[in-house]
């Protein structure tokens, strides 16, 4: 079963003597694959050792950037929306956990 990979991965496989089987997804399949990739990368982040957290966050961020682009949004616009929500509702830095 295949999976969505970063653009240079087929090239890297070839450099190491492999011959990857690659298809280019249509728009709907690409969006679905991005969401699956987000879950995959989030699970990897959840299981990451402390020394691997930054790398896993970078992977999640890259997928989020691609999702934004696939839906017609520039990352700078996403940052503006995030800042507005942070100003209105706060962030997640206070460790506030609402029970019930």
């Amino acid at each position: 079963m295949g999976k969505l990979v970063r653009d240079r991965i087929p090239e890297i496989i070839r450099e190491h003597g492999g011959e990857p089987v690659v298809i280019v997804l249509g728009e709907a399949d690409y969006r679905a694959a991005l969401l699956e990739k987000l879950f995959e990368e989030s699970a990897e982040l959840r299981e990451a050792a402390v020394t691997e957290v930054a790398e896993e966050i970078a992977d999640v961020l890259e997928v989020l950037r691609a999702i934004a682009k696939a839906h017609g949004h520039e990352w700078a616009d996403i940052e503006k929306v995030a800042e507005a929500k942070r100003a209105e509702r706060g962030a997640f830095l206070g460790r506030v956990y609402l029970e019930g």
Side-chain angles (χ1 to χ4, degrees):
M1 178 160 206
K3 68 176 185 174
L4 188 65
V5 296
R6 289 175 179 259
D7 300 340
R8 287 201 57 238
I9 296 302
E11 175 186 337
I12 293 168
I13 291 170
R14 286 185 198 98
E15 288 172 358
H16 289 91
E19 190 54 48
V21 177
V22 176
I23 63 169
V24 176
L25 299 175
E27 195 66 33
D29 288 338
Y30 175 56
R31 287 180 180 183
L34 281 168
L35 292 177
E36 286 300 317
K37 191 67 170 182
L38 180 59
F39 283 108
E40 174 191 326
E41 296 297 348
S42 296
E44 290 177 11
L45 174 57
R46 180 180 222 166
E47 301 300 321
V50 173
T51 58
E52 300 169 333
V53 168
E55 187 173 330
E56 296 304 334
I57 290 171
D59 288 343
V60 170
L61 178 60
E62 194 63 32
V63 174
L64 289 173
R65 288 176 185 265
I67 291 170
K69 193 70 148 174
H71 287 86
H73 301 289
E74 294 299 323
W75 192 251
D77 296 331
I78 300 298
E79 287 286 348
K80 288 177 188 172
V81 171
E83 182 58 37
K85 289 187 88 167
R86 205 169 14 258
E88 180 182 331
R89 298 180 178 196
F92 294 98
L93 302 176
R95 303 180 190 179
V96 177
Y97 189 86
L98 187 61
E99 291 187 344

